[in-house]
Structure formats: C-alpha cells, structure tokens
Amino acid sequence: MNGHYGPYGQAPYGYGAHEDPEEMVELNAAHPAYRNPNGSFDFQFNDMPSPGLASPRPVIPYRAGHMAHEDYNSPYSSPNPGWLQPTPRSSTGPDSFSYGATPYDSRSASPTLYHNSQVGQSHQSLTHLVDSPSSPGLSKEWVKSGSIARINDRDDAEIWKGWKRVLFAFTPFLTFTNTAVYFFYLGLRIYCIISAQNAAGVSYAGAWVFVSIEFAVAIPSLMHNCWTMMALKKRGRPRLRLTGNDCPTVDVFITCCGEDDEVVLDTARGALDQDYPGDRFRVIILDDGKSATLEECVNQMSVNHPNLFYMAREKIPGKPHHFKAGNLNYGLDAVHYLPGGAGQFMAALDADMIPEQEWLRAILPHLLVDPKMALACPPQLFYNTPDSDPLAQSLDFFVHVIEPIKDAMHVAWCTGSGYVVRREALDEIGNFPLGSLAEDVATSTLMLGKGWKTAYIHEPLQFGTVPDDFGSHLKQRTRWAIGTVDTAFKLKFCLWGDAVKQMTFAQRFSGFLYATLSLYTLLLTASLFAIPIILLWGKQLVAYANQEQLHWLIWACFATTIVNRLCEFTLFIPAGYHTGQRGSRYQLWMSPYIALCIVRSFILPRWLGGQTQAFKPTGSLSSALNERDPKQRKNLFVRLRVILFNYMAFFHLAFVYVTLVAVVITTYKCFATQTTFKGIVVCMITHAFWPPLTFLFLCTSLWTPVSYAIDPPSVPDREDLLKRDPKTAIAHPTKKSKKIAFGGQAAWFELEYTVATTATVLIFAYSFFF
C-alpha cells in the first residue's frame, strides 16, 4: 500500500497539527466539571449566544495608561466613550447542536463598536483584484494601491517545482494500481491457503493469522488510498499578496501559558514587525500563566508599540477554563472593550511560532477575494528539528502532502497557529468550541458544516519549535490523537447531524477517515503483539498447494512491493522521500502510546484507570533528562531507565528482542530440517523471510525509542538557531535551521530499505529456477 503506511499499510493517526501553547498544563479532563455521568466530555458548541443575554464586561488587566494611546483617526479608535458599554447579544437562540451557553461574546458586527470598519462586509473592504497573468514580482505597472496582487499561479511554486510536479501528477494513478495489485495479492493468498488445506487435509492456522494481520492493518490504508484517488483534481490555489495601506483590521492573538518569556517575546516582536499598516492591526498576548515578568516586558515594549496589549483572564478555582479554547474566546470578547472594538479579522499564533514579515499580507487576500472563505491557514514549520529528525517531530509530510490534498478537496483544517479567521464565521459557530483537546480541528469542521470555506496556504510563513525532549513529544502527539477522536465522536464522525449539515461528501469522508485512522492504532498495536507470537509459533506463514502457486505468490508479492516503492517515491516528493519514510516508522513505534491513551480515554471506566488526558509517564520525573543538550544531558543509564520504564519503551525493546530471537530460531530450524539449498530458501521465505523482509522494517522502527535513549541528537541552543537584529531584537530563524539536515540515521534506514528491496528482487529472480 502507499509507502507512508509502512509494510502493512498502517495508517497515520492524529494528523491535525494543533499546537497548543498550554503544553505544560496538565490535561486534567478527569475533573468532574468536564465529564458527564458516563465519564465522557461535555463538548460545548455554540452556534449562537443565548437569547436576550447581555454580555458582562470582562475584567481585563490592561497595563496602566495603555488606553491613552487612542487615535480618533484609527479604525480601532472610537470618538464615542460608548465603546465601554456592552451590546446586547443577538436574540437568535441556539440550535439543536448547542451543548451549553458560552460565557463569551463575539459581536463582530455590532454597529456601536465600529466606525471606520465595515465588519459585516469585510470582503468588500478591498474590491480591487488584479486578474493579470503570473508575474515574477510586484510590477508597478499593474499593481495598484489597495489591491490584491496575483504573483504566481501556485502558492507553493517556490517550495517544489520542475520534474517533481510532473512525477507527482501520477500519484493517483499509481495509488489506484497499487490498490488493485494489493487486492489481487490478498485474494491470491487466501485462495492458496484454501487450496493447500484442501490438498493436505490440515489447517494452516499460522497462514490465516498472517494474512488476517496483513488485511486488517491494510483497511485504513485502503481508505486513505480512496481519498488520494479522489484528489485527481489539481490544486490551483494562487500566491496572492495584499498591497497598499487600504487593509482590513486584524486582532492578532498570541496564546501562551508558562513558556519562557523570551520565546513569547520573540513571537510578539515578529508579529509586530509585520509588513502591514501599524494602525490596522494589534497584537494581544493572552497569557493564561499570568506571568508577572512577561507582563512587565510587554509593558516596556508597548512604549514603542502602542498596538501591543497584554491580557490575562481570571481563572476561578473549580470552574473549567477550557484551556486554549477558553483563552481565545476570552480574547475575542475582550477586544470589544478596546478602542474601536474588535477587528474585522482575528489571527492567532502559538507562543513559539515566529511569523515571517509577509504573513498577514499573504493570508488575508484569500479571505478577501471570497466572502464565504472563513479561515485560511499556513503550514506549521520548525527551526529546531534535530538532524535526521529521529522522532519524526516535523510535520513536513502532513503540511506538504496531506494538507494540500485536503485543500484540493475543500477540506483544509485549521492547524492551530498562523491562521486568520473571519469574525462573522466565528460568530455563526459560537466562537471556539469548548471541551475539546482539538479546538482548531473542531472549529474548522464546524465552519465547513455551516457552509463556510477553509483554505490552506502552502507558503512558509511561520516557524516554531518542536518539543525538545521525548516526554513532551509523547504528550503532544497523544493529545492530538485523543482530541481528534474525541471531536469525531461528538461530531458523529461527520456523517450526520446539524453540525455537518452543509458538508460535501468529500468533507464528510475526510472527517470520518482521519478519525478512523486514529482508532486503527488499536488494531495496529494488536498486530504488533501477534507478529513475534506467530514467528515463535514456528508455523508456516505462507501456504500453497503446489509449486506453481508458490511462484504466483512470489510474483504477486514482488509486484506489490515494487509498485508500493514507486508510490512511496512519488507520494513523498513534496515533503521529501526521507521525510515520508520517517513518517512510516513513526506510525509503527508510536502506535502503542496512541492505543494506550485511546483505551484509557474512551474504553476503560474511571474505576479501572480510565482518564481523558495525554500520555502521562509513570514514576518520578523530577529530574529532566536534557537529552539534547550535550553538556547537561543525563548519563546513558539514567536515559535508558527513564525511557524504558517511565516512558514504557520496554515494550519496544521486548518486541525487537523476541522477534529477532524468533527469526533466529526459525532460520536454525530451516537449516536443521532441510538438506538442499532450494529447501532451505523455500522454508525461510515461507516462515520468516517473506519479502520484503517485514520483520526487519518492524524491528528497526520499534527500536526508535531505545536508539534515541542510547544516542540522542544534539541540538544547538535556540539563540544559535536565530538571526537577531541587534537594534530591534527582532529574531527570525536562520536559513540553515529551517531545513532538516541529512544525518547518519537517515542513511542507515535507507540502507535497510535497499537491502529489503534487493532481497525481494533476488527472491523473485530465484523463483524462476525452482
């Protein structure tokens, strides 16, 4: 099947890169206020505010004197002190999908809050769209002030081009061929087992178990292949730029909670350094950690940046605060009480995501040219990814392959940072949904369900940091997976209900597919347990009635392997071949962690240890490993102890050990029981070495946490990865840090793939001689 699913066609899970600045906050969703009596979450979607309720004025800890920066010529200013007064909510009541009233009010169309801005008609604020052909730059002859320039027919023209595009166009056809060949192979396997049983009068239990595993874990891959084949339509999103000073107003939220002050401040400086009129946007730091030092630093910066604000909401003990979604909703309501009211658009950045200077000018045009475009989002890219990316922390495969395919089918997800959203669309869905660990995916899904559009802008417009330790990586990815599944349950897997009423078939299928892929980690993990068992069992894994059937089985396996390799190469092109292969290995070694958290969250009752939260290590972690700092990392013994036992990688170690022992025993038996070269070869390939040597790929993939503990990568200090202006302190990642270096680990795995493919070819060739 498609290469990024691995040798068994295992499916990706947890896609949806919703970075959460509350990384260090315990996801204690087991709190009684979060759960229904049956132990499930309350998922609070609010299409419209409750009827007849006035919004109470929030307590906003603005810095002293900040309101003095009022400019009556600014779209954010109000000559009428009436901006301080709340406006009654709409009288429209919630629909059947509303699970509870939100305490937040978005009122983006309130006439008392806007004077120079036409919020209800944001798409009309810029009416000039230049329909000229592609241009290498912003030519003065055809770009006018206040217009939208089309500078290329493709937004990703500078990311990948040339022969790569030509070859990638064959991906759907290769996927179709791969699917057809794989179905033929599985059908032939089943036919040969039945024939062998009829001929010998015995049951080939091992062969049935082996083919069942192959078929079971191929189901999600087959589903994703259907999705890939649906994307025959070429994606044609252009590269646009908003020019001139006639720009809409934007509230840029930076959500944070406990991150280092300097990390947040670097993001704030990057946001303030936008190539955008300073009186048309503001940067609001929403600090859920209430850091006194951060507030002081922001106060100092605001002296030179009057469009910078600091806010920290009050958290009442015992009352759910809904983490990032609650923080964003607080900001959406709070900006109404700033001079001029709320902006026409809202943008959000994670605490560590430094935007490029053209970020706003690149994203906003896609919202302005289409009044039904609710949200536009760029990829999340990173600048501190270690060489070879051993834990597959970069999201390159998702952002360069999966999201463009989804965008071509009009199913772009909000990926959590860097997005710009239309306030009217947020109003219609009742702001960010509460009670979800994946509020970004839920938000974009609800917008699609209301008939809005979403866009994915495939340009490198923001760069952040990946977790710098193994534990944080596990917590982040398991939270994503739990959030995706939890959201799917509450949205009925996007198959029916008022919340998805206006979704297209492709949008519904996408929502169902990616939630199902997360659940299939349970089946994948079960198959991993079964593989060493059936190898130790010593039974024949590939059954056949005669020599001719064995020939056909080998030929079909050879065809499946080669076509799969071609699919890998073409499908991985936008992200890079090695990136895709890392993703295949990641899905294998990460599946036990994902499966464990899904069982705890959605299957086990609370009295048996059920809890809806991300992966939580056992034992004490009072001492950080600092594994990526060559000067401060703990010694080898400590790293192995923590990762093997606290982070449960002993399963990975046991799997590799038992599997290799089983392969050695099987090999010994073949040499002991067979007297001819042909007999030894046939015995080995039908018991353990069936091409493409699947056990080798499984062992090297499951070994990842252990190898990481033994030899963790070294990453330079964050400051060494940035280029900082000595006068303004504005920092952006260096060109080198934006790319993942090719290291020794990637070379080793490429050698492994080469050996497995070569063995498959040799077995195929030898089959003609016996």
Side-chain angles (χ1 to χ4, degrees), residues 574-597:
Y577 173 75
H578 295 290
T579 297
Q581 295 291 9
R582 281 195 297 269
S584 298
R585 299 190 296 271
Y586 164 85
Q587 290 148 25
L588 282 170
W589 71 261
M590 191 70 186
S591 62
Y593 295 110
I594 300 290
L596 176 63
C597 289

Side-chain angles (χ1 to χ4, degrees), residues 51 63 65 74 80 132 189 205 286 295 355 388 403 415 472 486 489 537 572 577 604 622 641 666 691 695 761:
R63 58 181 177 275
S74 167
N80 186 346
S132 301
R189 286 284 307 279
L286 300 175
E295 181 178 8
S388 293
E403 270 295 285
T415 56
S472 296
D486 184 58
F489 276 122
W537 194 6
F572 297 163
Y577 173 75
L604 287 181
S622 58
R641 175 177 58 81
T666 299
F695 78 89
V761 173

Side-chain angles (χ1 to χ4, degrees), residues 540 542 544 547 550 554 670 674 676-688 690 766 770:
Q540 187 171 327
V542 180
Y544 54 93
Q547 202 79 355
L550 178 59
I554 293 175
C670 288
Q674 302 296 323
T676 65
F677 180 76
K678 172 188 172 182
I680 293 174
V681 172
V682 172
C683 176
M684 290 178 63
I685 66 175
T686 57
H687 284 75
W690 186 249
Y766 183 69
F770 64 84

Side-chain angles (χ1 to χ4, degrees), residues 350-372:
D350 278 350
D352 61 337
M353 277 287 171
I354 302 175
E356 300 289 272
Q357 279 189 316
E358 65 270 28
W359 167 52
L360 288 178
R361 288 196 180 272
I363 300 293
L364 274 165
H366 298 273
L367 293 157
L368 296 174
V369 299
D370 188 346
K372 291 299 293 179

Side-chain angles (χ1 to χ4, degrees), residues 76 85 133 218 301 349 379 486-487 526 622 660 723:
Y76 281 119
Q85 303 302 322
M301 287 177 61
L349 290 166
D486 184 58
T487 301
S622 58
L660 292 179
K723 183 178 181 180

Side-chain angles (χ1 to χ4, degrees), residues 155 159 356 358 378-379 381 457-463 738:
D155 55 359
I159 298 178
E356 300 289 272
E358 65 270 28
L381 303 172
I457 315 304
H458 198 184
E459 294 188 52
L461 296 171
Q462 60 174 346
F463 290 87
K738 293 178 180 179

